[in-house]
Amino acid sequence: MTDIAHDMIPEAASAAEEIYKENILDHYRHPRNRGAFSPCAFKHREINASCGDDLELFVDLADGKMRKVAFEGRGCAVSIAAVSMLTEHVAGMTLAEIEKLGKDAMLGLLGIPVGPSRLKCALLGLKTLQNGIAAHRTAL
Amino acid sequence: MMTAVKNASGGMATPWSKARADFPLYTNGRRKIAYLDSAASSLTPEPVLAAMDAYYRECRANVHRGMYAESEDAGARYDGAREKIAAFLRAAADEIVFTRGTTESLNLLAYSLSRKLGPGDEVVISIMEHHANLVPWQQLAKERGFALEFIPLAADLTLDMRAARALITPKTKIVSVTYASNVLGTVVPVRELADLAHAVGAVMIVDAAQAAGHRPIDVRELDCDFLALSGHKMLGPTGIGVLYGKRGRLEALPPFMFGGDMILDVRKEDSLWNEVPYKFEAGTPNIAGAIGLGAAIDYLGKLGLDAVRSHEREITDYALAALAKIPGVTVYGPPSGSDRAGLVSFTIEGVHPHDAATVFDRQGVCVRGGHHCAMPLLRELGLNGTLRASFGVYTAPEDVDALVAAIIKTKAIFNV
């Protein structure tokens, strides 16, 4: 019976694999920089209530630059892969540089087609980091 | 059971494959799909589109006001739809109020009924409620000071009627429950709850969004005081819904919105309300929507609601049996054999529901993934979300087969 369904949309298989490329799944299964640490310069948590995604980022600074950033939490493959890639990408960057990162930069990092229904997942890590930076600046 | 699946590629010789041809999304849509999101919104058949189109083309005028043939024709079609809905619910036409949908119907009730509530009063709902039958009560409880109580679930995910009996007390002023859960498919013994409510003098409200159009509803038999439904979940258009109320209850209720059509007389300092149901229909109504909903009821009537119910039941049983065979798939719902709505909620171990729904989408399988606007229930179940496949009169066994294939594909991609 599975054959019938597969025949329904011949191009479907490749389209499904496009978003869940091997490196996305690799970051999902083996996230980089996962694990809380303290002491840290600041930490910040954001959730996507509609998905149940829940991320907390831990940041350590040296000379105004990201010395170390790690995350803890749970989410879908897109949100976890995105935050995992982000933690690698921002290492050594200044807060101002990170604040300039936009949606396109994050999607470029992911390198997969993300539709409107999954955009919030893709951007949750970046939003958490940027809101954390904003809160950190206010606290200073 | 569904034996038709074996000759699925050659088409099924059932009235349902004929019905499927009436739904243009299958022929005019962007792609070939297995539409399994009917609990969110059903597809719309040609006769419903034709009825709305005819209104716009043949008698496009306002209702109730114009003293000319076109307006009278529009009014006759609009109030004709009201009569169809009344017959559909075994109610009287003046007990049918048109709203935008279940959400508006329930907000109307929450705002209007809670005016008389205060500290010491209680409103009883269930933990299974859609946010539309939860948040209005929750917010008004804060404002008015009454308490909101939740009937829990029994271990088998049916409503815990023992707890319901203990919760419904003389303090209870309103009992408002879903007829069928949009997450679990659990069907609630509404009549039994209505009897409990009435025994303590409370008002009984039924959220029938997931039941209407899927099983026969007789409001006299249910003995509910109010019932809410949405047109777009029962083959009708979006933006139209119904609030049924027992005539005496509607008469006692103050109007919710003010404006044109809902008044008899307006002076500078005061106004006199129109009779029911018009006093609840301020402003120009969704005329085409009401006419479309009337046509949906005609269409369902031709299929027969008992036949609709047994078709959806067969598809549901077919889906439950198919999902039970897939390792790592967990189904959430009442035990087999119990009365349930035409939907199946499930999770795939190791795959977030949104990831699965995305893979399904790429396979042309349309399901809902997430909390289904019932976050307190999902928390109760200890889940972030589920995948939900929900069925309609047009659902064929091949749609379920496509779902099964999509689950297997997802498991392969995620290596679980």
Side-chain angles (χ1 to χ4, degrees):
Chain A
M1 67 181 181
T2 53
D3 285 334
I4 298 166
H6 272 303
D7 289 348
M8 269 180 63
I9 303 159
E11 73 277 14
S14 58
E17 275 144 15
E18 228 171 78
I19 180 162
Y20 295 108
K21 288 197 304 196
E22 200 43 55
N23 74 321
I24 297 290
L25 291 171
D26 182 53
H27 273 273
Y28 175 52
R29 293 196 192 104
H30 312 287
R32 323 298 195 258
N33 302 309
R34 182 172 209 157
F37 65 86
S38 73
C40 56
F42 65 89
K43 58 182 181 175
H44 188 76
R45 184 180 167 198
E46 292 280 344
I47 58 169
N48 269 346
S50 64
C51 317
D53 293 348
D54 183 341
L55 294 180
E56 188 167 22
L57 283 174
F58 302 83
V59 173
D60 209 10
L61 299 170
D63 304 328
K65 288 180 180 173
M66 285 283 154
R67 198 181 71 78
K68 187 181 177 191
V69 55
F71 80 97
E72 202 42 84
R74 56 180 190 184
C76 62
V78 175
S79 65
I80 295 297
V83 73
S84 170
M85 290 172 168
L86 184 70
T87 58
E88 288 190 319
H89 182 71
V90 298
M93 285 172 78
T94 66
L95 296 186
E97 282 168 339
I98 294 168
E99 284 171 315
K100 282 196 201 106
L101 292 175
K103 172 184 133 185
D104 291 341
M106 190 63 236
L107 294 183
L109 213 52
L110 271 167
I112 53 168
V114 177
S117 62
R118 303 302 303 278
L119 200 56
K120 270 170 71 180
C121 312
L123 299 179
L124 181 63
L126 180 62
K127 178 183 166 187
T128 308
L129 184 55
Q130 290 179 334
N131 286 355
I133 291 171
H136 174 66
R137 286 196 193 282
T138 315
L140 282 178
Chain B
M1 279 305 290
M2 288 281 149
T3 48
V5 65
K6 291 297 171 203
N7 59 2
S9 50
M12 292 179 300
T14 72
W16 307 105
S17 50
K18 217 167 135 267
R20 195 167 165 110
D22 293 331
F23 292 83
L25 190 72
Y26 287 120
T27 43
N28 295 10
R30 292 160 42 179
R31 56 181 189 159
K32 195 170 178 191
I33 56 169
Y35 186 76
L36 296 170
D37 199 18
S38 294
S41 206
S42 60
L43 302 184
T44 309
E46 286 289 357
V48 171
L49 300 175
M52 293 193 291
D53 195 58
Y55 158 69
Y56 279 116
R57 290 177 194 282
E58 295 163 12
C59 57
R60 175 71 183 86
N62 213 328
V63 292
H64 300 155
R65 280 185 287 274
M67 287 163 192
Y68 48 91
E70 289 72 19
S71 175
E72 284 166 2
D73 189 0
R77 294 186 199 202
Y78 178 68
D79 283 314
R82 194 191 307 276
E83 277 165 30
K84 287 173 188 176
I85 292 154
F88 174 75
L89 295 174
R90 310 279 187 271
D94 60 5
E95 296 176 314
I96 302 301
V97 177
F98 284 121
T99 64
R100 281 193 300 135
T102 305
T103 297
E104 184 180 306
S105 298
L106 292 169
N107 271 275
L108 185 161
L109 290 173
Y111 276 95
S112 305
L113 289 169
S114 63
R115 282 184 183 197
K116 288 186 177 169
L117 302 187
D121 294 327
E122 293 180 358
V123 171
V124 174
I125 63 174
S126 87
I127 192 67
M128 281 189 290
E129 299 313 316
H130 186 282
H131 294 162
N133 193 32
L134 192 159
V135 183
W137 303 112
Q138 174 194 68
Q139 293 304 308
L140 285 155
K142 283 198 220 175
E143 204 175 300
R144 307 285 317 158
F146 61 85
L148 185 59
E149 302 288 339
F150 293 81
I151 307 171
L153 292 176
D156 65 357
L157 302 184
T158 60
L159 195 67
D160 186 343
M161 288 304 289
R162 185 195 292 253
R165 280 186 284 276
L167 278 171
I168 298 171
T169 70
K171 284 184 178 175
T172 308
K173 297 297 179 278
I174 296 166
V175 176
S176 188
V177 292
T178 184
Y179 197 152
S181 162
N182 70 317
V183 177
L184 301 172
T186 302
V187 173
V188 166
V190 169
R191 175 58 196 254
E192 210 178 317
L193 285 169
D195 289 344
L196 291 172
H198 292 150
V200 297
V203 173
M204 179 69 194
I205 301 170
V206 177
D207 169 357
Q210 295 298 338
H214 298 282
R215 58 176 60 221
I217 292 180
D218 182 333
V219 289
R220 304 272 181 257
E221 209 173 277
L222 296 179
D223 198 25
C224 52
D225 298 293
F226 297 101
L227 180 139
L229 62 83
S230 294
H232 73 98
K233 292 191 199 284
M234 48 176 286
L235 313 186
T238 58
I240 189 78
V242 167
L243 169 64
Y244 154 81
K246 281 181 184 166
R247 198 192 156 108
R249 293 285 188 188
L250 286 178
E251 279 170 349
L253 211 59
F256 176 54
M257 290 213 282
F258 305 105
D261 229 22
M262 55 78 64
I263 42 82
L264 282 183
D265 188 22
V266 179
R267 288 162 194 275
K268 271 163 42 185
E269 50 289 314
D270 208 358
S271 299
L272 191 62
W273 310 136
N274 202 340
E275 59 197 21
V276 295
Y278 304 109
K279 80 169 177 185
F280 296 105
E281 294 179 1
T284 294
N286 181 354
I287 303 167
I291 291 168
L293 179 54
I297 285 168
D298 286 341
Y299 184 84
L300 285 165
K302 277 187 196 140
L303 291 175
L305 274 167
D306 284 315
V308 167
R309 186 183 177 185
S310 65
H311 171 70
E312 291 177 2
R313 179 70 207 224
E314 280 188 7
I315 290 280
T316 306
D317 287 342
Y318 181 66
L320 287 169
L323 294 185
K325 288 189 196 127
I326 310 173
V329 169
T330 307
V331 172
Y332 301 89
S336 64
S338 51
D339 192 5
R340 61 181 298 155
L343 59 90
V344 178
S345 259
F346 62 97
T347 53
I348 306 170
E349 197 182 345
V351 187
H352 190 286
H354 285 182
D355 290 323
T358 296
V359 178
F360 290 9
D361 168 48
R362 309 291 160 112
Q363 310 264 83
V365 174
C366 309
V367 300
R368 182 58 70 94
H371 55 63
H372 317 294
C373 297
M375 290 170 106
L377 171 61
L378 272 290
R379 283 211 177 84
E380 193 82 358
L381 297 171
L383 297 168
N384 283 335
T386 68
L387 292 152
R388 181 189 67 191
S390 52
F391 317 117
V393 299
Y394 36 73
T395 309
E398 302 99 296
D399 298 326
V400 175
D401 296 342
L403 172 68
V404 168
I407 295 171
I408 289 163
K409 176 87 193 166
T410 306
K411 289 183 53 164
I413 288 176
F414 281 83
N415 198 20
V416 291

